[in-house]
Amino acid sequence: MSTTPNVPYRLEFSVEVPGTPEQVWQAIATAKGMSAWFLPTRMEEREGGSLHFSMGPEMGSDGRVTGWDPPRRLAYEEDWAALMGADPDALSALTSEFLVEAQSGGSCVVRVTSSGFGTGAEWEPEFWEEMGTNWKPFFDNLRIYLSHFPGQEATQLEATASLPGEAEALWSTMHETLGLGGEGAAVDVRGATGTVERVGERQTLVRLTEPVPGMMSVFAYPEGDGKSTAGVRAYLFSPAAADYVRREEPAWQSWLQGLDARMPATE
C-alpha cells in the first residue's frame, strides 16, 4: 500500500455555549482557557505559534497555530504521524478549526472541524470514530466552564488505572460504587458533592460544589486484549484546589486500582 496520504477523513460538529464571542475566544484560543476544560495546554497565542497538548506523563501532541482571527476563528495543526508513531510521510497533519458565531440571548455557536489525510489503513477509520467519541464530551466541559467559571484558571486532578476486564463491567462497578445517578441528580462522589450534568457512554460529568467548586468526569474505556482503563479527571476553581489535589489525587489513584477487587467474578 502506498504511504502517500491521499484518503480524506473529516469530523465536524457544532455546540452552543453561553458567553460573548470574546469569552468563548478566551476559552478556546488561550493556554489558560484550553487547560480549564480540555487538556493541559501550552500555546503561543498567535498565528505560527507553537502548541502542545499534554496527554499524560511523557505523552502529548505537538502542533502549531495556522489560523488566528480573534474572536472568530482559530485553526491549528497537530503532527498526526508523530502522535501515532507512523512514518512521517504516511499521514498528513491533523487540522482543527474553531469558528465562533454570536447568537441572540448571550450565547455562541462553536463550529468544530477536524480533518486529515491517511493511506486507507484499517486503523484509520477507527481512529476517527474514536476521536469523535472522545472529543465531543469535552465540549460539555466547555459549556459548564463558560456557564459557571468563565475566565478562571483551573487546577487539574487526574488519575487512571489499567485493569483486567471489559469496559462495560468496569463502568457498571464504578457507577454503582460511586452512586452516580442520572442527569440532574445530586451526588456525593467520595466526599465531593455536586450535580450530574451529563451521562454518556461509560462516562458521567459532575459539576462540583463542595469542598472545591469545579467539574469532574468519571469514565471507563476499553484498551483491548481483555483490559480497560478507569479514570477520573477534574478541573477545580479555587485557591484551595492545589491542596485538595495533593491530598485527593493519590487517594483516587488507590481507589481506582482497587476496583478489580469489586468487579464481579468471571468464569
Side-chain angles (χ1 to χ4, degrees):
M1 177 179 293
S2 170
T3 59
T4 302
N6 58 9
V7 178
Y9 296 98
R10 186 178 182 88
L11 173 68
E12 189 170 10
F13 59 93
S14 299
V15 293
E16 186 170 357
V17 295
T20 65
E22 290 74 19
Q23 288 174 316
V24 176
W25 179 261
Q26 184 279 331
I28 66 171
T30 69
K32 174 184 172 182
M34 291 285 276
S35 299
W37 62 272
F38 185 42
L39 298 172
T41 301
R42 298 196 304 269
M43 178 191 296
E44 292 179 342
E45 295 161 9
R46 58 176 176 82
E47 186 167 353
S50 64
L51 178 69
H52 178 81
F53 297 121
S54 177
M55 299 176 177
E58 300 181 2
M59 293 179 60
S61 180
D62 292 303
R64 65 185 182 93
V65 178
T66 58
W68 184 267
D69 183 16
R72 295 183 294 273
R73 178 180 179 268
L74 168 72
Y76 57 83
E77 292 182 345
E78 298 171 79
D79 191 337
W80 187 20
L83 183 62
M84 301 308 297
D87 186 309
D89 297 325
L91 303 169
S92 75
L94 176 60
T95 300
S96 294
E97 180 184 59
F98 293 67
L99 298 176
V100 180
E101 300 176 4
Q103 304 291 295
S104 61
S107 67
C108 290
V109 169
V110 182
R111 305 191 187 281
V112 184
T113 303
S114 292
S115 60
F117 290 85
T119 63
E122 290 185 1
W123 65 268
E124 291 173 1
E126 182 179 352
F127 170 87
W128 284 89
E129 182 178 352
E130 290 181 352
M131 179 180 170
T133 300
N134 296 330
W135 184 213
K136 292 177 183 179
F138 280 105
F139 289 85
D140 287 307
N141 297 357
L142 176 62
R143 174 178 53 81
I144 295 174
Y145 175 64
L146 287 166
S147 296
H148 299 279
F149 313 106
Q152 296 187 45
E153 185 171 358
T155 300
Q156 283 200 23
L157 177 156
E158 183 162 1
T160 61
S162 178
L163 301 168
E166 298 298 323
E168 290 294 344
L170 177 58
W171 174 244
S172 178
T173 299
M174 295 176 69
H175 193 277
E176 181 178 353
T177 304
L178 292 172
L180 299 174
E183 292 183 7
V187 291
D188 184 321
V189 187
R190 299 190 66 252
T193 59
T195 303
V196 175
E197 290 277 346
R198 179 184 180 275
V199 177
E201 183 179 3
R202 299 187 303 272
Q203 182 188 55
T204 293
L205 177 63
V206 178
R207 179 168 61 87
L208 301 174
T209 52
E210 296 290 344
V212 178
M215 50 192 173
M216 175 181 288
S217 177
V218 184
F219 55 88
Y221 61 84
E223 295 179 26
D225 298 324
K227 301 182 72 175
S228 301
T229 291
V232 59
R233 180 185 295 113
Y235 309 79
L236 305 171
F237 304 95
S238 166
D243 287 339
Y244 179 84
V245 170
R246 280 193 290 269
R247 180 177 69 253
E248 292 299 321
E249 197 168 70
W252 267 108
Q253 189 68 51
S254 178
W255 185 86
L256 292 169
Q257 291 171 338
L259 277 172
D260 58 343
R262 301 174 182 265
M263 295 276 287
T266 58
E267 297 183 358

